[in-house]
Amino acid sequence: MMLRPAKHALALLISMSWGLGLWLGLVICLVNGVFVASATGQEAAPQGNTRYWTTNWNFDSIDVKQLNRRLAQMGVGIPIEMEGIVSVNFKVSVPLNAITDGRKYRFEGLVRSSRLQLERVGLEDFQSHLRVADGVMTIDQIQAKLSEGTASGVPNRVAERKRNASRVGTVSGSATLQLSPIGDIDASLMTESVAIEPLHQLLLTIQNRDDREPLDGVVSGELQFRAPLKEIRDIRLWNAKTNLRIAGLSRGDALPLDVDPASISIADGVLRADDLQVRSTEAPELSARVRGRVELIKQQRFALAIRADNLPLEVLTRIAGASPSRFGEGQVDVDATASGELASRKWDLKGRVASPKLRVAGVDLGLIEHAFEFDEQHLRLAPLRSLAGQNRSDLILQEVSANYQLSAQQWLLSNVDARLFGGEITGDASLALDKRERSKLNLKWRGLTPTVNAQLFSLADVVISASSSGEIAWTIPAGDWSRLDDQSGKLDVRLESIKVGEATVGELHLAIAKNADELQLKADGNLFGGEVTVVTRSDVISGMTWRDLWQRPAQIDLSLDALRLDRLIASVPRQVLVSPRYRQLRGQVSADIEWTGTPHAKASDSPWESEMTVQLEHLSMGSVLLTRRLDASVRTQGSSVTIDNVSGNYARGRVTARGQWNLVENDGHLDVQVDSVDATDSIHLVSESVAKRVQGKLSGQFHLTGGRSIRARGAVQASDAFVAGVPVGNANCGLLASYSLRSGQWDASFSSIKGNVARGQLMGQAKIKSSYRPKRFDLASRWSFERVNFAKLISDAGGGNSSYAIGQVRGSLTLAGEGIASHSDLRGQFKTELAGSQAAAIPGLSEAQRFLGAIPLAGIRVESGRLEGTIAGGRARIDEFVLSSPQLKMWAEGFVQLDSNRMDIEAVISTGNFETSQLTALYLQAASFTALSPVSLLIRINQLLSNRTIYVDVGGTLADPKLKLRPLATLRDEVARYLIAEVLGLNCAALSSGNPFDLQD
């Protein structure tokens, strides 16, 4: 194995030197236009009895890509991609009187190139001297620098490693070939820091193989090689010696290994490896040493020894180009020896192996501390301590032993006794080696409980475990095991305590029988809390394989009875489930499904077809019942699903649906109609935070389409609806929504909202979407309203008694927020105007009657008023609330808690005759005595108005206000100034001058 890189590098350089020189001479007349050539010739003096015609061949700027393409048309091209310019200078002597004697020809000259590209191998400053004389070709002065183009898309760890390593390597050497008569090849090659990957890719191209993941590392060392040209493929005739060293051998981001052999040689038919060592600079604890001797002739005796510590199997698996999850994972310690004679099929392998945690083909084998013995008749693997009489109950793999016999016709395995995975396997088997024989498998097992690391629909890694018992009697013809038509037998398996992750699935009994022309599968069991029955029958035709069968069985009848939805969801990995909320789903699923298909037809001719009826009963999420029963009739053809009908109750209403969907492309259409569903319960399935803030009944029609997200377009009608505690009455709007199955993110836009609320009209638009923070949502909305009876609005929202007084408002509201979980996350602003309202309709004014004069508030009509404020921190802040009429003046500011409707408001209320002339006279009378503060002036005016102005604190709720009288003297100056100027309509500039009469006309 260590000789391969050097061998291919040697072949590459020799081929370049010899091939370019010889081919140029043979095809010079056929490649006219590819290069510019000059040649001069003359008859040379005789050498002995031979007369020579000597010619100088000088070829400059040869395009090797075009040359190779022309040669390929002649059938002698090199099957690799090559680019570059080559120059050749040859002196050619042709024996005129010995044309047929190959030993008489003379060639000598140089092949040079500043840059050649062979696949991913870059040769820089390439030069080689070539000489042919007396039937011997000598290639010497071989010099080249090997480089590799920059790799893209490699992991950071690999990129860093490559940046630290030299990308340019050098190759030098010489070779001699005995051509006439055919003799030996004798070569010497030196390499320094040559990258493995381009050589590896070149070799794969020549072998027509593909390897997507790059092989990293550099090779340095020297190679001595001698072999007969006629039998160069026979390794037994080689004489070679190498001390090549490989540094940083790895694939992808795997741990790099350094391979340093002291000496590997082949001589006299014997292969020797004195001391091959494997280490890693990134893992000092890793080490492996191998030494061995193999006779390639006669009895083929061999002797090997290996000792390794902390050897990572996944690294070796990846270097070999395989997937660790399908082969081996874990670190192992090995101490083993092997000897024997391959010619007589005798061997003796024994040693010890240990691993803290070993996984093979995705199956966990756990702790390994075992000794093994393997010869031509017996196999035994046993724990180390059990050999000394101690029980090892802590091991998954207990003991394996078997006898076997190997012949030219078959391999017989008998007395199989394996104790592993908590159970036992017994029986015998035979493997046919002759095409006329048949392989047989007769095994029984009980109590096996392996743990398998698998992938669930390629979405996530899961751990699957079960306790298995059963037996198999199966006969297979020698050759292609995948062919099903010539096989026969029975398989009976019982799986108990099936678990996916930590979720308990149940138990299953499986029986498979194969006779001449039919395969049957029957399964029944208790899975996910319900009963499952499967019956499969397939006609087996000539040439049919297992793959044909599993892709399209002829017929499958599947019955599911009352499977529990919560147990189904519990088996879904967390990384697959869109939201943890769906683990709260409860209910039962039942179905009758019939699949049909033609096993020997192409997928496009006869795809899977099925018909099924599905019942979903008592579906709930947490404590919210979503449906008592939902029925569906579905047909499938390949990946296309046709939903003929879905109907049932949902969220205390009705839902129907029909449409078509492609499961592979996640695209299709679905028409859904809901009637009188409860808003809170129906939205609970999508967002719990939104559902808590929406009440009422919803109806609508929606058209769903798919793609990366499921999109819905339609119309919604709401009745008796509340949003965030605010009644919106009966409304209708357009809907545009989307839901991402991958991320669980959603959004919904409500356009052209129109509705009737509190005997008025409501208009607006809103958009809500899921937040990046769990259990929260974002909101952006704008609203306007006309002639809304705010007394009824407050009564409906707060639960108080409705008033017969009339109070109408109009205005606007903006409401928004990000990451909304409660009222405190809302922000917005509002602005309203009162028009034609009765004073008794305003919360708190009726309770203020007892503090005022004889004028009854019930008879006062408010001509104008305004209310402005903002929403933030869970409160509605009233920046200004002013009412004005000839008999009533009011000013207020404060807060209302959104979650409880509790008020914290201060207000000033005045009743009486507020004609301008009377107020001016009172104002002049009060201000004529001396300069007063705003509060003192307001108190004086109140005294002149018979004490009909009060200052109160308003508490309680909107439905049940509580008033507390406060002295006017505690009123703030700025408030008093505002009341005098803005509410009473008097000029407060006099308060800052000594004489108020100075301001009069």
Side-chain angles (χ1 to χ4, degrees):
M1 180 176 179
M2 290 296 299
L3 292 170
R4 287 185 179 179
K7 174 186 173 184
H8 292 300
L10 175 66
L12 172 67
L13 294 173
I14 292 175
S15 297
M16 284 296 303
S17 300
W18 165 241
L20 283 173
L22 185 59
W23 287 349
L24 289 174
L26 293 175
V27 304
I28 184 172
C29 297
L30 299 175
V31 293
N32 183 32
V34 176
F35 49 82
V36 177
S38 63
T40 59
Q42 61 180 358
E43 184 174 354
Q47 297 183 16
N49 296 324
T50 305
R51 296 170 52 219
Y52 284 93
W53 177 266
T54 300
T55 303
N56 293 319
W57 289 359
N58 300 299
F59 305 109
D60 294 322
S61 304
I62 303 172
D63 187 335
V64 295
K65 182 177 182 179
Q66 189 172 354
L67 173 62
N68 192 52
R69 185 164 54 246
R70 296 277 183 95
L71 294 175
Q73 295 174 354
M74 301 169 53
V76 292
I78 301 176
I80 61 175
E81 289 292 329
M82 56 174 59
E83 293 183 3
I85 302 298
V86 175
S87 298
V88 177
N89 304 104
F90 274 158
K91 179 180 180 181
V92 181
S93 298
V94 180
L96 297 177
N97 57 348
I99 295 293
T100 60
D101 190 350
R103 291 174 296 178
K104 298 296 185 177
Y105 283 80
R106 303 284 190 268
F107 287 82
E108 185 171 4
L110 294 175
V111 179
R112 300 183 305 277
S113 176
S114 60
R115 174 70 181 178
L116 282 177
Q117 187 75 26
L118 307 178
E119 291 293 337
R120 290 184 56 182
V121 178
L123 293 175
E124 298 178 357
D125 300 331
F126 172 75
Q127 177 178 297
S128 177
H129 177 265
L130 184 146
R131 181 174 181 272
V132 178
D134 300 325
V136 178
M137 175 185 289
T138 301
I139 304 172
D140 55 14
Q141 302 177 23
I142 298 175
Q143 295 180 2
K145 296 179 181 178
L146 271 70
S147 63
E148 176 189 7
T150 302
S152 62
V154 296
N156 291 337
R157 179 177 175 183
V158 179
E160 180 66 23
R161 192 186 304 145
K162 288 192 173 185
R163 282 194 296 267
N164 295 334
S166 173
R167 287 186 174 272
V168 178
T170 60
V171 178
S172 60
S174 61
T176 301
L177 292 82
Q178 177 65 47
L179 301 178
S180 181
I182 293 295
D184 293 344
I185 177 175
D186 196 340
S188 176
L189 190 67
M190 295 284 294
T191 64
E192 181 66 33
S193 301
V194 175
I196 290 179
E197 170 59 12
L199 295 174
H200 177 242
Q201 291 296 330
L202 180 62
L203 176 61
L204 292 177
T205 302
I206 295 173
Q207 297 175 342
N208 196 24
R209 290 169 51 200
D210 186 22
D211 195 346
R212 296 181 180 179
E213 194 170 22
L215 185 66
D216 195 22
V218 293
V219 179
S220 301
E222 57 183 287
L223 168 69
Q224 302 290 333
F225 178 80
R226 183 181 181 87
L229 283 173
K230 282 187 176 181
E231 294 87 14
I232 195 170
R233 295 181 180 273
D234 191 346
I235 192 174
R236 296 174 299 176
L237 302 179
W238 288 10
N239 279 276
K241 185 176 182 180
T242 181
N243 64 347
L244 292 179
R245 299 176 302 279
I246 303 177
L249 180 64
S250 67
R251 279 186 188 270
D253 59 348
L255 188 72
L257 302 179
D258 298 330
V259 182
D260 187 7
S263 176
I264 297 178
S265 63
I266 300 177
D268 301 325
V270 178
L271 170 65
R272 290 182 176 87
D274 291 339
D275 191 9
L276 188 148
Q277 299 183 38
V278 178
R279 301 184 183 278
S280 175
T281 56
E282 296 186 14
E285 69 279 4
L286 184 156
S287 67
R289 306 187 72 169
V290 180
R291 64 179 186 276
R293 181 181 185 277
V294 180
E295 296 179 359
L296 305 176
I297 56 178
K298 298 180 181 179
Q299 296 301 314
Q300 297 180 348
R301 296 184 180 89
F302 68 92
L304 301 172
I306 179 172
R307 185 182 182 92
D309 295 320
N310 300 303
L311 195 63
L313 289 184
E314 50 265 70
V315 173
L316 300 181
T317 303
R318 289 186 66 177
I319 290 176
S323 170
S325 61
R326 296 185 58 187
F327 290 90
E329 297 175 275
Q331 291 186 338
V332 296
D333 298 341
V334 179
D335 187 0
T337 59
S339 61
E341 297 180 356
L342 296 177
S344 58
R345 295 181 177 176
K346 294 181 180 180
W347 63 86
D348 185 14
L349 174 64
K350 61 181 61 178
R352 296 176 296 175
V353 60
S355 174
K357 187 175 183 180
L358 185 64
R359 181 185 298 174
V360 176
V363 179
D364 282 325
L365 298 181
L367 176 66
I368 301 294
E369 291 180 352
H370 290 70
F372 57 88
E373 300 173 358
F374 180 37
D375 59 27
E376 64 274 10
Q377 293 183 335
H378 307 283
L379 167 67
R380 188 188 181 198
L381 178 68
L384 291 173
R385 296 180 189 173
S386 67
L387 299 176
Q390 300 182 26
N391 186 30
R392 293 298 304 273
S393 59
D394 58 327
L395 301 178
I396 295 177
L397 183 60
Q398 286 290 327
E399 186 170 350
V400 178
S401 63
N403 298 330
Y404 58 89
Q405 182 179 351
L406 185 63
S407 66
Q409 291 76 31
Q410 61 183 352
W411 182 26
L412 297 176
L413 191 66
S414 60
N415 299 325
V416 175
D417 186 4
R419 296 193 299 277
L420 66 166
F421 302 113
E424 184 178 16
I425 302 176
T426 58
D428 56 76
S430 64
L431 175 63
L433 304 178
D434 191 306
K435 293 184 177 181
R436 295 169 295 181
E437 300 292 334
R438 299 179 70 84
S439 299
K440 298 180 180 179
L441 191 62
N442 297 287
L443 295 174
K444 295 182 179 181
W445 67 93
R446 59 182 179 86
L448 298 183
T449 312
T451 298
V452 180
N453 289 266
Q455 280 203 330
L456 183 65
F457 307 120
S458 300
L459 296 175
D461 294 327
V462 295
V463 178
I464 301 175
S465 63
S467 177
S468 172
S469 300
E471 58 181 305
I472 182 173
W474 209 268
T475 302
I476 306 170
D480 189 0
W481 286 31
S482 65
R483 289 188 54 177
L484 180 60
D485 52 341
D486 290 338
Q487 301 183 24
S488 62
K490 294 182 178 180
L491 171 66
D492 190 272
V493 182
R494 290 188 177 274
L495 299 175
E496 300 175 336
S497 303
I498 304 173
K499 298 182 70 175
V500 177
E502 297 298 324
T504 300
V505 175
E507 57 186 31
L508 184 69
H509 175 226
L510 175 68
I512 300 176
K514 165 65 174 64
N515 53 34
D517 56 1
E518 183 181 75
L519 185 137
Q520 291 184 345
L521 181 149
K522 296 181 179 180
D524 60 86
N526 185 297
L527 300 179
F528 305 108
E531 299 297 325
V532 176
T533 304
V534 183
V535 178
T536 300
R537 177 188 172 278
S538 178
D539 293 330
V540 178
I541 61 177
S542 178
M544 187 174 181
T545 67
W546 283 102
R547 183 175 181 179
D548 296 330
L549 173 72
W550 298 129
Q551 285 184 343
R552 276 178 301 281
Q555 181 174 331
I556 297 178
D557 295 322
L558 173 63
S559 175
L560 309 175
D561 185 17
L563 270 63
R564 287 176 49 182
L565 194 59
D566 58 325
R567 294 184 62 175
L568 274 167
I569 296 175
S571 64
V572 178
R574 295 183 181 275
Q575 55 268 47
V576 176
L577 200 63
V578 173
S579 171
R581 293 183 58 247
Y582 293 121
R583 296 200 182 274
Q584 303 177 33
L585 285 172
R586 301 290 184 269
Q588 293 182 340
V589 179
S590 300
D592 291 309
I593 307 172
E594 180 178 321
W595 273 293
T596 57
T598 305
H600 56 281
K602 295 182 179 179
S604 58
D605 297 333
S606 180
W608 279 82
E609 294 182 356
S610 72
E611 294 184 4
M612 65 184 75
T613 58
V614 182
Q615 298 86 40
L616 186 60
E617 298 179 295
H618 306 293
L619 176 65
S620 64
M621 176 172 277
S623 60
V624 178
L625 178 65
L626 299 177
T627 179
R628 295 188 181 277
R629 176 164 176 152
L630 204 61
D631 295 282
S633 297
V634 180
R635 293 176 290 117
T636 68
Q637 187 175 35
S639 60
S640 177
V641 178
T642 300
I643 303 170
D644 293 324
N645 182 53
V646 174
S647 61
N649 60 70
Y650 179 74
R652 292 179 275 183
R654 294 287 300 174
V655 61
T656 59
R658 64 181 61 230
Q660 194 171 32
W661 210 268
N662 189 297
L663 298 178
V664 173
E665 299 176 0
N666 189 35
D667 198 6
H669 62 88
L670 195 64
D671 294 311
V672 181
Q673 181 172 340
V674 294
D675 296 306
S676 300
V677 299
D678 182 85
T680 302
D681 293 351
S682 62
I683 298 176
H684 190 83
L685 186 63
V686 178
S687 173
E688 183 179 3
S689 56
V690 175
K692 290 179 179 179
R693 288 160 180 80
V694 179
Q695 295 86 37
K697 292 289 186 180
L698 298 178
S699 299
Q701 304 82 35
F702 315 107
H703 182 71
L704 273 66
T705 57
R708 292 185 177 180
S709 299
I710 296 177
R711 299 176 296 278
R713 183 188 298 272
V716 180
Q717 300 85 42
S719 59
D720 300 324
F722 286 75
V723 177
V726 178
V728 296
N730 302 325
N732 59 78
C733 66
L735 171 67
L736 182 63
S738 67
Y739 182 87
S740 172
L741 293 173
R742 175 171 295 182
S743 65
Q745 298 294 304
W746 56 267
D747 64 78
S749 297
F750 301 90
S751 59
S752 303
I753 302 173
K754 294 182 180 179
N756 300 317
V757 55
R759 304 171 188 155
Q761 292 183 344
L762 176 70
M763 295 162 288
Q765 59 185 28
K767 181 176 182 179
I768 57 175
K769 64 178 182 178
S770 55
S771 173
Y772 69 94
R773 302 165 66 183
K775 298 183 179 181
R776 295 172 180 255
F777 68 96
D778 299 341
L779 168 68
S781 65
R782 296 196 303 270
W783 307 88
S784 63
F785 43 91
E786 290 284 347
R787 300 187 303 277
V788 173
N789 188 320
F790 61 82
K792 178 173 174 54
L793 182 69
I794 293 172
S795 175
D796 293 343
N801 296 324
S802 178
S803 171
Y804 291 102
I806 297 175
Q808 293 184 344
V809 295
R810 64 176 177 271
S812 63
L813 167 68
T814 61
L815 197 61
E818 295 182 355
I820 298 173
S822 65
H823 290 92
S824 60
D825 300 314
L826 293 171
R827 66 180 187 276
Q829 58 184 19
F830 53 89
K831 182 181 294 186
T832 66
E833 295 180 359
L834 276 70
S837 300
Q838 294 178 341
I842 299 172
L845 279 185
S846 297
E847 286 72 14
Q849 178 71 67
R850 56 193 175 94
F851 300 118
L852 298 170
I855 299 178
L857 292 177
I860 297 178
R861 180 176 179 81
V862 179
E863 298 298 336
S864 64
R866 64 182 183 275
L867 172 64
E868 297 180 1
T870 58
I871 296 173
R875 300 188 301 180
R877 175 184 175 86
I878 301 173
D879 295 329
E880 181 181 61
F881 186 17
V882 176
L883 299 177
S884 181
S885 75
Q887 294 84 30
L888 175 67
K889 301 289 185 179
M890 191 195 82
W891 168 90
E893 70 172 9
F895 301 93
V896 178
Q897 293 291 337
L898 297 179
D899 56 352
S900 63
N901 287 337
R902 297 195 66 85
M903 298 182 290
D904 183 9
I905 298 174
E906 57 177 329
V908 177
I909 307 169
S910 280
T911 59
N913 185 0
F914 294 104
E915 295 181 1
T916 304
S917 59
Q918 181 184 7
L919 282 175
T920 302
L922 291 172
Y923 168 67
L924 294 175
Q925 181 182 355
S928 62
F929 299 99
T930 181
L932 301 175
S933 68
V935 174
S936 299
L937 181 58
L938 183 63
I939 293 174
R940 183 60 180 161
I941 293 174
N942 183 44
Q943 291 171 349
L944 295 174
L945 289 173
S946 303
N947 294 316
R948 283 175 291 180
T949 299
I950 61 172
Y951 176 31
V952 295
D953 282 339
V954 184
T957 64
L958 290 173
D960 185 20
K962 305 294 184 183
L963 272 64
K964 181 180 179 182
L965 190 63
R966 296 180 60 179
L968 277 177
T970 61
L971 196 65
R972 301 190 305 274
D973 278 348
E974 61 271 20
V975 174
R977 187 189 303 273
Y978 176 85
L979 289 171
I980 295 171
E982 301 296 331
V983 179
L984 298 179
L986 301 175
N987 192 343
C988 285
L991 298 177
S992 60
S993 66
N995 189 349
F997 293 100
D998 294 342
L999 301 175
Q1000 297 189 31
D1001 296 335

